[in-house]
Amino acid sequence: MKRALVLFNQALRWHDNLLLSEHAYFDQLIAVVVLDPAEYLTEQYGIKRASAQRLQAQLKLLLDWQQQWQQKQLVLHLRIGDTTSCLLQLAQQYQAQSLIAAEPTAPEQYQQLKSTGLALRLYDINSLLQHQLRPDLASLPKSFSAFRKQREPELLVQRPLQLKFSGQFYGETKLALDTVSADFISRYHTPTAALLNEAAALERLTKFIWQQRAVLHYKQSRDALDGDWNSSLWCFYLANGSLSPCYAWQQVVDFEQQQMANESTYWIRFELLWREYFRWQMRQHNSAWFSKNAFRPPLDFSAPIPDKRFELWCKGQTGLPLVDANIQMLLHTGWMSNRGRQNVASYLIFELQQDWRLGAAFFEQHLLDYDCASNWCNWAYIAGVGNSGARQFNLIKQALTHDPHGDFVRHWLPEKTTAGALVHWPEAKVQLQDFWLPFLKQLKSKA
Ligand SMILES: Cc1cc2nc3c(=O)[nH]c(=O)nc-3n(C[C@H](O)[C@H](O)[C@H](O)COP(=O)(O)OP(=O)(O)OC[C@H]3O[C@@H](n4cnc5c(N)ncnc54)[C@H](O)[C@@H]3O)c2cc1C
């Protein structure tokens, strides 16, 4: 009897999921998901890797996935513990020699799978460039522009496959959960946590594209700091694998063909290409991304040393309202807009002179859409390490452009009651930057 484990981490969906299909070589498939506490409860640079909010959302998602299997009278094994050990133990229980999984981008996750010593079959179900479109890492273009120009014309992204669900899945109900995992669940499971599952993903996708037709104004609205329909909010689902990027891409193309194409419908695909670019960049340079200058030699993995200014930034108490309001939003909701992320990152790196990796670790802790490649590569990109030149933003100009009436700041910092744009005025403890001066004058003129 030939058996393989099928690991559903970052593959928590019934649509466009090769892991669910027939695997000719095997007689039986053993479905499993693992939550590794090391990825949530340990620390990096003294910063916890996941907030309670992020851990609880992931736990809820996995429990929901297990329940969906139960409803189909199938067994999905849920394990909480060291990934490699959990997989090996299950492989031993079922006499399985192989492991089928979604190909990860995070070097740590790839290593966990390799360390099992099981025969690996990885399917890159969370990339746009799958199968014959898979890039050669050795000749990957360095810049996003070059990557986009090279790949865009040939990106005939496959229509999501109509796969036959495999009848090979097998499992013993009594092994669905072990006692260690059950104990962990009773300790950390919170019914009120966000449920970021496939049903929520598909609902959001349909509403964003077809019902609200928000895809038609995406290019103009994507820089907003908040708002229900200004950006897609697909990030949660793409990050946890409950939404297929090929499916999302194809839905946009279908909309373009059936309803209307404009620069906004193009732009959302353009942004999905940024995600794609970073995935391949992460795979090319692997853990070198976590060095101080990313993969630029000499590699330096020594832990960054934060000072008091980092602590205040993390609490949203820098005294610069635009930064503090964005951080408060992140702490409360687990999300921040792309524009907000760029602004707070720039401020931390260039004005507060902190190592970019501290900011990346803090985002890893709090973002419910945390994705290793998108997070660490975006931080490196703003810091100007790796492949990029530095990207410093003028925070006062940004405030005037993206929160011209101060509404966003007053919402997240209710103690600030100054009317209009003047609410952006930096507190006395903020060191004013020369290049802010013309924009500070503009703020004053609005008093
Ligand atoms: C410092 C920093 C850290 C970030 N960390 C993450 C992270 O951990 N996880 C994450 O998914 N995104 C991250 N991003 C990228 C981007 O900010 C988010 O993907 C986006 O804000 C999520 O909201 P949305 O789904 O509404 O995006 P939309 O604007 O609707 O974009 C659609 C999709 O395109 C992709 N995308 C958009 N912009 C980017 C980008 N700059 N880089 C990569 N992919 C992009 C995302 O998958 C997103 O869901 C980060 C950006 C910065 C500047």
Side-chain angles (χ1 to χ4, degrees):
M1 172 85 68
K2 287 203 177 91
R3 285 187 177 140
L5 301 184
V6 185
L7 178 65
F8 281 93
N9 288 23
Q10 287 173 315
L12 306 164
R13 60 179 191 253
W14 303 102
H15 72 284
D16 192 28
N17 187 351
L18 256 175
L19 303 192
L20 289 166
S21 66
E22 294 280 344
H23 292 273
Y25 190 71
F26 302 102
D27 302 308
Q28 285 183 335
L29 302 172
I30 316 299
V32 53
V33 277
V34 181
L35 185 149
D36 193 332
E39 290 180 41
Y40 293 85
L41 298 177
T42 56
E43 293 188 348
Q44 56 187 340
Y45 319 136
I47 301 162
K48 195 126 168 244
R49 289 192 65 184
S51 62
Q53 197 181 19
R54 186 157 90 77
L55 170 62
Q56 285 160 5
Q58 185 64 13
L59 196 54
K60 185 156 178 174
L61 180 69
L62 299 188
L63 285 166
D64 173 76
W65 181 239
Q66 188 181 47
Q67 212 171 23
Q68 291 185 42
W69 279 70
Q70 261 166 21
Q71 282 161 3
K72 292 181 189 288
Q73 317 292 330
L74 290 167
V75 172
L76 173 96
H77 303 80
L78 170 56
R79 292 291 179 271
I80 298 176
D82 172 68
T83 305
T84 307
S85 314
C86 288
L87 292 172
L88 277 176
Q89 197 186 43
L90 204 61
Q92 207 172 29
Q93 281 168 326
Y94 282 102
Q95 297 296 300
Q97 292 86 31
S98 300
L99 174 61
I100 297 169
E103 184 175 339
T105 47
E108 169 190 37
Q109 289 171 354
Y110 190 72
Q111 195 50 45
Q112 289 162 350
L113 304 189
K114 250 177 79 181
S115 304
T116 60
L118 297 166
L120 282 186
R121 284 176 183 231
L122 300 179
Y123 296 93
D124 196 10
I125 62 167
N126 293 316
S127 293
L128 290 171
L129 299 172
Q130 298 179 20
H131 313 306
Q132 69 275 21
L133 295 181
R134 190 180 173 90
D136 170 23
L137 287 183
S139 58
L140 202 62
K142 281 194 171 61
S143 72
F144 171 69
S145 299
F147 172 82
R148 183 179 62 78
K149 281 183 193 137
Q150 187 189 75
R151 307 309 306 222
E152 214 168 29
E154 60 181 16
L155 196 74
L156 306 163
V157 176
Q158 309 84 331
R159 286 208 154 261
L161 306 167
Q162 295 302 319
L163 298 163
K164 187 169 170 283
F165 183 73
S166 170
Q168 297 155 298
F169 283 101
Y170 168 79
E172 294 175 29
T173 312
K174 64 177 191 299
L175 293 181
L177 202 62
D178 61 9
T179 47
V180 177
S181 309
D183 285 351
F184 189 97
I185 293 165
S186 59
R187 195 156 162 216
Y188 290 102
H189 177 47
T190 320
T192 52
L195 179 57
L196 301 167
N197 66 1
E198 182 182 25
L202 297 180
E203 188 185 340
R204 176 74 196 176
L205 189 82
T206 305
K207 281 194 173 156
F208 189 80
I209 298 178
W210 300 96
Q211 292 173 4
Q212 296 289 330
R213 296 161 64 90
V215 68
L216 287 173
H217 61 66
Y218 170 75
K219 188 159 188 260
Q220 291 74 42
S221 60
R222 61 181 283 273
D223 274 327
L225 300 174
D226 58 6
D228 286 349
W229 302 105
N230 289 325
S231 70
S232 71
L233 298 185
W234 298 342
C235 50
F236 311 114
Y237 316 106
L238 290 167
N240 69 28
S242 59
L243 177 63
S244 148
C246 290
Y247 181 70
W249 176 285
Q250 200 57 54
Q251 284 284 298
V252 178
V253 172
D254 284 355
F255 181 88
E256 287 174 321
Q257 288 169 356
Q258 294 169 27
Q259 305 261 328
M260 186 197 279
N262 66 13
E263 58 174 3
S264 283
T265 59
Y266 166 75
W267 212 263
I268 198 148
R269 289 190 286 109
F270 177 94
E271 293 301 335
L272 288 172
L273 277 178
W274 266 107
R275 171 182 178 275
E276 193 70 14
Y277 167 70
F278 285 138
R279 288 177 75 75
W280 295 101
Q281 284 290 327
M282 179 56 83
R283 285 175 178 163
Q284 185 181 36
H285 298 289
N286 272 302
S287 44
W289 276 107
F290 308 110
S291 157
K292 191 175 165 63
N293 288 313
F295 48 84
R296 276 187 214 158
L299 296 184
D300 175 3
F301 295 103
S302 57
I305 301 166
D307 63 29
K308 181 83 184 149
R309 291 175 295 179
F310 176 61
E311 218 176 284
L312 292 175
W313 180 88
C314 292
K315 291 183 186 153
Q317 293 175 1
T318 63
L320 195 66
L322 183 67
V323 169
D324 295 345
N326 272 296
I327 297 281
Q328 286 303 333
M329 182 189 202
L330 174 64
L331 295 176
H332 282 90
T333 67
W335 187 80
M336 192 192 289
S337 69
N338 185 58
R339 179 58 52 177
R341 294 178 203 207
Q342 290 176 324
N343 283 327
V344 301
S346 165
Y347 190 64
L348 182 75
I349 297 164
F350 301 109
E351 266 72 74
L352 303 184
Q353 302 276 310
Q354 307 290 302
D355 189 313
W356 65 276
R357 295 172 299 165
L358 291 167
F362 179 78
F363 268 29
E364 174 171 339
Q365 183 181 38
H366 290 284
L367 282 175
L368 290 182
D369 60 68
Y370 170 67
D371 171 86
C372 181
S374 289
N375 186 55
W376 287 81
C377 298
N378 262 299
W379 271 93
Y381 177 75
I382 290 177
V385 298
N387 283 325
S388 326
R391 280 176 172 71
Q392 182 175 14
F393 290 81
N394 182 327
L395 271 289
I396 306 300
K397 183 175 180 211
Q398 290 286 311
L400 278 161
T401 310
H402 298 292
D403 188 25
H405 309 294
D407 298 333
F408 176 78
V409 159
R410 277 186 300 276
H411 179 77
W412 290 106
L413 306 175
E415 69 281 9
K416 298 217 172 279
T417 51
T418 311
L422 204 57
V423 74
H424 287 294
W425 195 265
E427 288 176 21
K429 65 183 172 190
V430 174
Q431 197 184 345
L432 299 184
Q433 309 293 320
D434 287 347
F435 70 107
W436 292 355
L437 293 179
F439 298 95
L440 285 170
K441 266 193 199 144
Q442 272 191 47
L443 272 190
K444 224 171 208 162
S445 73
K446 290 181 187 281

Coordinates of all heavy atoms in Angstrom, one line a residue, residues 204 208 218 222 230-236 238-239 268 271-276 278 335-339 341-342 345 363 367 369-372 374-376 378-379 382, ligand 1:
R204 N -15.8 38.0 -0.9 CA -15.1 39.3 -1.1 C -14.7 39.5 -2.6 O -14.9 40.6 -3.1 CB -13.9 39.4 -0.2 CG -13.0 40.6 -0.3 CD -13.7 41.8 0.3 NE -13.0 43.0 -0.1 CZ -13.4 44.3 0.2 NH1 -14.5 44.4 1.0 NH2 -12.8 45.3 -0.2
F208 N -16.2 42.5 -4.7 CA -15.3 43.6 -5.2 C -15.3 43.7 -6.7 O -15.3 44.9 -7.2 CB -13.9 43.3 -4.7 CG -12.9 44.4 -4.9 CD1 -12.8 45.4 -4.0 CD2 -12.0 44.4 -6.0 CE1 -11.9 46.5 -4.2 CE2 -11.2 45.4 -6.2 CZ -11.1 46.5 -5.3
Y218 N -10.2 51.0 -8.9 CA -9.1 50.6 -8.0 C -7.8 51.5 -8.1 O -7.2 51.9 -7.1 CB -8.7 49.1 -8.3 CG -7.5 48.6 -7.7 CD1 -7.5 48.3 -6.3 CD2 -6.3 48.5 -8.3 CE1 -6.3 47.9 -5.7 CE2 -5.1 48.1 -7.7 CZ -5.2 47.8 -6.4 OH -4.0 47.3 -5.7
R222 N -6.8 53.0 -4.5 CA -6.0 52.0 -3.8 C -5.1 52.7 -2.8 O -4.6 52.0 -1.8 CB -5.2 51.2 -4.8 CG -4.2 51.9 -5.6 CD -3.4 51.0 -6.6 NE -2.4 50.3 -5.9 CZ -1.1 50.8 -5.7 NH1 -0.8 52.0 -6.1 NH2 -0.2 50.1 -5.0
N230 N -12.0 50.5 -1.3 CA -10.9 51.2 -2.0 C -9.8 50.3 -2.4 O -9.0 50.6 -3.4 CB -10.3 52.3 -1.0 CG -11.2 53.4 -0.9 OD1 -11.9 53.8 -1.8 ND2 -11.3 54.0 0.3
S231 N -9.6 49.2 -1.8 CA -8.7 48.1 -2.3 C -9.4 46.8 -2.0 O -10.4 46.7 -1.4 CB -7.3 48.2 -1.6 OG -7.5 47.8 -0.2
S232 N -8.8 45.7 -2.6 CA -9.5 44.5 -2.7 C -9.7 43.7 -1.3 O -10.6 42.9 -1.2 CB -8.8 43.6 -3.7 OG -7.6 43.1 -3.1
L233 N -8.7 43.9 -0.4 CA -8.6 43.1 0.8 C -8.5 41.6 0.5 O -9.0 40.8 1.3 CB -9.8 43.4 1.7 CG -9.9 44.8 2.3 CD1 -11.0 44.9 3.3 CD2 -8.6 45.3 2.9
W234 N -8.0 41.3 -0.6 CA -7.7 39.8 -0.9 C -6.5 39.3 -0.2 O -6.2 38.1 -0.2 CB -7.5 39.6 -2.5 CG -8.7 40.0 -3.3 CD1 -10.0 40.2 -2.9 CD2 -8.7 40.3 -4.7 NE1 -10.8 40.6 -3.9 CE2 -10.0 40.6 -5.0 CE3 -7.7 40.3 -5.7 CZ2 -10.4 40.9 -6.3 CZ3 -8.1 40.6 -7.0 CH2 -9.4 40.9 -7.3
C235 N -5.7 40.2 0.4 CA -4.4 39.9 1.0 C -4.5 38.8 2.0 O -3.7 37.9 2.0 CB -3.8 41.1 1.6 SG -4.9 42.0 2.7
F236 N -5.6 38.8 2.9 CA -5.7 37.8 3.9 C -5.7 36.4 3.3 O -5.1 35.4 3.8 CB -6.9 38.0 4.7 CG -7.1 39.4 5.2 CD1 -8.2 40.1 4.7 CD2 -6.3 39.9 6.1 CE1 -8.4 41.4 5.2 CE2 -6.5 41.2 6.6 CZ -7.5 42.0 6.1
L238 N -5.1 35.4 0.1 CA -3.9 35.0 -0.7 C -2.8 34.6 0.2 O -2.1 33.6 -0.1 CB -3.5 36.2 -1.6 CG -4.4 36.6 -2.7 CD1 -4.0 37.9 -3.3 CD2 -4.4 35.5 -3.8
A239 N -2.7 35.2 1.4 CA -1.6 34.9 2.3 C -1.8 33.5 2.9 O -0.9 32.7 3.1 CB -1.4 36.0 3.4
I268 N -4.9 46.2 -10.9 CA -5.0 45.2 -9.9 C -4.2 43.9 -10.3 O -3.5 43.3 -9.4 CB -6.4 44.8 -9.5 CG1 -6.4 44.1 -8.1 CG2 -7.2 44.0 -10.5 CD1 -7.6 44.4 -7.3
E271 N -0.6 44.8 -9.5 CA -0.3 44.6 -8.1 C -0.1 43.1 -7.8 O 0.8 42.7 -7.0 CB -1.3 45.2 -7.2 CG -1.4 46.7 -7.3 CD 0.0 47.4 -6.9 OE1 0.8 46.9 -6.2 OE2 0.2 48.6 -7.4
L272 N -0.9 42.3 -8.4 CA -0.7 40.8 -8.2 C 0.7 40.4 -8.7 O 1.3 39.4 -8.2 CB -1.8 40.0 -8.9 CG -3.2 40.1 -8.2 CD1 -4.3 39.5 -9.0 CD2 -3.1 39.5 -6.8
L273 N 1.1 41.1 -9.8 CA 2.5 40.8 -10.3 C 3.6 41.2 -9.3 O 4.6 40.6 -9.2 CB 2.7 41.5 -11.6 CG 2.2 40.8 -12.8 CD1 2.4 41.6 -14.1 CD2 2.8 39.4 -13.0
W274 N 3.3 42.3 -8.5 CA 4.3 42.7 -7.4 C 4.4 41.5 -6.4 O 5.5 41.1 -6.0 CB 3.8 43.9 -6.7 CG 4.4 45.2 -7.2 CD1 3.7 46.1 -7.9 CD2 5.7 45.7 -7.0 NE1 4.6 47.2 -8.2 CE2 5.8 46.9 -7.7 CE3 6.9 45.2 -6.4 CZ2 7.0 47.7 -7.7 CZ3 8.1 45.9 -6.5 CH2 8.1 47.2 -7.1
R275 N 3.3 41.0 -6.1 CA 3.3 39.8 -5.1 C 4.1 38.7 -5.7 O 4.9 38.1 -5.1 CB 1.8 39.4 -4.9 CG 1.7 38.1 -4.1 CD 0.2 37.7 -3.9 NE 0.1 36.5 -3.2 CZ 0.1 35.3 -3.8 NH1 0.3 35.2 -5.1 NH2 0.0 34.2 -3.1
E276 N 3.9 38.5 -7.0 CA 4.6 37.4 -7.7 C 6.1 37.6 -7.7 O 6.9 36.7 -7.5 CB 4.0 37.3 -9.1 CG 4.4 36.1 -9.9 CD 3.7 34.8 -9.4 OE1 2.7 34.9 -8.6 OE2 4.2 33.7 -9.8
F278 N 7.9 39.3 -5.7 CA 8.6 39.1 -4.4 C 8.6 37.6 -4.1 O 9.6 37.2 -3.4 CB 7.8 39.9 -3.3 CG 8.1 41.4 -3.3 CD1 7.1 42.3 -3.2 CD2 9.4 41.9 -3.5 CE1 7.3 43.7 -3.2 CE2 9.6 43.2 -3.6 CZ 8.6 44.1 -3.4
W335 N -4.6 45.0 10.1 CA -4.5 45.4 8.7 C -4.1 46.9 8.6 O -4.4 47.7 9.5 CB -5.8 45.2 7.9 CG -5.6 45.5 6.4 CD1 -5.1 44.6 5.5 CD2 -6.0 46.7 5.7 NE1 -5.1 45.2 4.2 CE2 -5.7 46.5 4.3 CE3 -6.6 47.9 6.0 CZ2 -5.9 47.4 3.3 CZ3 -6.8 48.9 5.0 CH2 -6.5 48.6 3.7
M336 N -3.3 47.3 7.6 CA -3.0 48.6 7.3 C -2.9 48.8 5.8 O -2.5 47.8 5.1 CB -1.6 49.0 7.9 CG -1.2 50.5 7.9 SD 0.5 50.7 8.3 CE 0.6 50.3 10.0
S337 N -3.3 49.9 5.2 CA -3.3 50.1 3.8 C -1.9 50.0 3.3 O -0.9 50.3 4.0 CB -3.9 51.4 3.4 OG -3.1 52.5 3.8
N338 N -1.7 49.8 2.0 CA -0.4 49.8 1.4 C 0.3 51.2 1.6 O 1.5 51.3 1.9 CB -0.5 49.5 -0.1 CG 0.9 49.4 -0.7 OD1 1.7 48.6 -0.3 ND2 1.1 50.2 -1.7
R339 N -0.5 52.3 1.4 CA 0.1 53.6 1.6 C 0.5 53.8 3.0 O 1.6 54.3 3.3 CB -1.0 54.6 1.2 CG -0.6 56.1 1.3 CD 0.6 56.5 0.5 NE 0.5 56.1 -0.9 CZ 1.5 56.4 -1.8 NH1 2.5 57.2 -1.4 NH2 1.4 56.0 -3.0
R341 N 1.4 51.5 5.1 CA 2.6 50.6 5.3 C 3.9 51.4 4.8 O 4.9 51.4 5.5 CB 2.5 49.3 4.6 CG 1.4 48.5 5.2 CD 1.2 47.1 4.5 NE -0.2 46.6 4.7 CZ -0.6 45.4 4.7 NH1 0.3 44.4 4.4 NH2 -1.8 45.1 4.9
Q342 N 3.8 52.0 3.6 CA 4.9 52.6 3.1 C 5.3 53.8 4.0 O 6.5 54.0 4.2 CB 4.6 53.1 1.7 CG 4.5 52.0 0.7 CD 4.1 52.5 -0.7 OE1 3.3 53.4 -0.8 NE2 4.6 51.8 -1.7
A345 N 6.8 52.7 7.4 CA 8.1 52.1 7.2 C 9.2 53.1 6.9 O 10.2 53.1 7.5 CB 8.0 51.1 6.1
F363 N 5.6 44.0 11.9 CA 4.5 43.7 10.9 C 4.2 42.2 10.9 O 3.0 41.9 10.8 CB 4.9 44.2 9.5 CG 4.5 45.6 9.2 CD1 4.4 46.6 10.1 CD2 4.2 46.0 7.9 CE1 4.1 47.9 9.8 CE2 3.9 47.3 7.5 CZ 3.8 48.2 8.5
L367 N 0.2 41.7 11.3 CA -0.6 41.7 10.1 C -1.3 40.4 9.9 O -0.7 39.3 9.9 CB 0.3 41.8 8.8 CG 0.8 43.2 8.4 CD1 1.8 43.1 7.3 CD2 -0.3 44.1 8.1
D369 N -2.6 39.6 7.3 CA -2.2 39.1 5.9 C -0.7 38.8 5.9 O -0.2 38.8 4.7 CB -2.6 40.1 4.9 CG -2.0 41.5 5.1 OD1 -0.7 41.6 4.9 OD2 -2.7 42.5 5.4
Y370 N -0.1 38.5 7.0 CA 1.3 38.4 7.0 C 1.7 37.3 6.0 O 1.2 36.2 6.0 CB 1.9 38.0 8.3 CG 3.3 37.6 8.2 CD1 4.3 38.5 7.9 CD2 3.7 36.2 8.4 CE1 5.6 38.1 7.7 CE2 5.0 35.8 8.2 CZ 6.0 36.8 7.9 OH 7.3 36.4 7.7
D371 N 2.7 37.7 5.1 CA 3.2 36.8 4.1 C 4.7 37.0 4.1 O 5.1 38.2 3.9 CB 2.6 37.1 2.7 CG 3.2 36.3 1.6 OD1 2.9 35.2 1.4 OD2 4.2 36.9 1.0
C372 N 5.5 36.0 4.2 CA 6.9 36.2 4.4 C 7.5 37.0 3.3 O 8.2 38.0 3.5 CB 7.6 34.8 4.5 SG 9.4 34.9 4.7
S374 N 6.1 38.9 0.8 CA 5.5 40.2 0.6 C 6.0 41.2 1.7 O 6.2 42.4 1.5 CB 4.0 40.2 0.6 OG 3.5 39.6 -0.6
N375 N 6.1 40.7 2.9 CA 6.4 41.5 4.0 C 7.9 41.9 4.0 O 8.3 43.0 3.9 CB 6.1 40.9 5.3 CG 6.3 41.8 6.5 OD1 5.8 42.9 6.5 ND2 7.1 41.4 7.5
W376 N 8.8 40.9 4.0 CA 10.2 41.2 4.2 C 10.8 41.8 3.0 O 11.6 42.7 3.1 CB 11.0 39.9 4.6 CG 10.7 39.5 6.0 CD1 9.6 38.8 6.4 CD2 11.4 39.8 7.2 NE1 9.6 38.7 7.8 CE2 10.8 39.3 8.3 CE3 12.6 40.5 7.4 CZ2 11.2 39.4 9.6 CZ3 13.1 40.6 8.7 CH2 12.4 40.1 9.8
N378 N 9.1 43.8 0.8 CA 8.6 45.2 0.8 C 9.4 46.1 1.7 O 9.7 47.2 1.4 CB 7.1 45.3 1.1 CG 6.2 45.3 -0.1 OD1 6.3 46.3 -0.9 ND2 5.4 44.3 -0.3
W379 N 9.7 45.5 2.9 CA 10.5 46.3 3.9 C 11.9 46.6 3.3 O 12.4 47.7 3.4 CB 10.6 45.6 5.2 CG 9.4 46.0 6.1 CD1 8.3 45.3 6.3 CD2 9.3 47.1 7.0 NE1 7.4 46.0 7.2 CE2 8.1 47.1 7.6 CE3 10.2 48.2 7.3 CZ2 7.7 48.0 8.6 CZ3 9.8 49.2 8.2 CH2 8.5 49.1 8.9
I382 N 11.7 49.3 0.6 CA 11.7 50.7 1.1 C 13.0 51.1 1.7 O 13.5 52.2 1.5 CB 10.5 50.9 2.1 CG1 9.2 50.7 1.3 CG2 10.6 52.2 2.8 CD1 8.0 50.8 2.1
Ligands
LIG1 C1 6.3 47.5 4.4 C2 5.2 46.7 3.7 C3 4.9 45.4 4.2 C4 4.0 44.6 3.6 N1 3.7 43.4 4.1 C5 2.8 42.6 3.4 C6 2.4 41.3 3.9 O1 2.9 40.8 4.9 N2 1.5 40.5 3.2 C7 0.9 41.0 2.1 O2 0.1 40.3 1.5 N3 1.2 42.2 1.6 C8 2.1 43.0 2.2 N4 2.4 44.3 1.7 C9 1.9 44.6 0.4 C10 0.6 45.5 0.4 O3 0.7 46.5 1.3 C11 -0.6 44.6 0.8 O4 -0.6 43.4 0.0 C12 -1.9 45.3 0.5 O5 -1.9 46.5 1.2 C13 -3.1 44.4 1.0 O6 -4.3 45.1 0.9 P1 -5.3 44.6 -0.3 O7 -5.4 43.2 -0.4 O8 -6.5 45.4 -0.2 O9 -4.4 45.1 -1.6 P2 -4.8 45.5 -3.1 O10 -4.3 46.9 -3.3 O11 -6.2 45.3 -3.3 O12 -3.9 44.6 -4.0 C14 -4.3 43.3 -4.5 C15 -3.3 42.3 -4.1 O13 -2.1 42.5 -4.8 C16 -1.0 42.2 -3.9 N5 -0.2 43.4 -3.6 C17 -0.6 44.7 -3.6 N6 0.4 45.5 -3.4 C18 1.5 44.7 -3.1 C19 2.8 44.9 -2.8 N7 3.3 46.1 -2.6 N8 3.6 43.8 -2.6 C20 3.2 42.6 -2.8 N9 1.9 42.3 -3.1 C21 1.1 43.3 -3.3 C22 -1.6 41.6 -2.6 O14 -1.7 40.2 -2.7 C23 -3.0 42.2 -2.6 O15 -3.9 41.5 -1.9 C24 3.4 45.1 2.4 C25 3.7 46.4 1.9 C26 4.6 47.1 2.6 C27 4.9 48.5 2.0

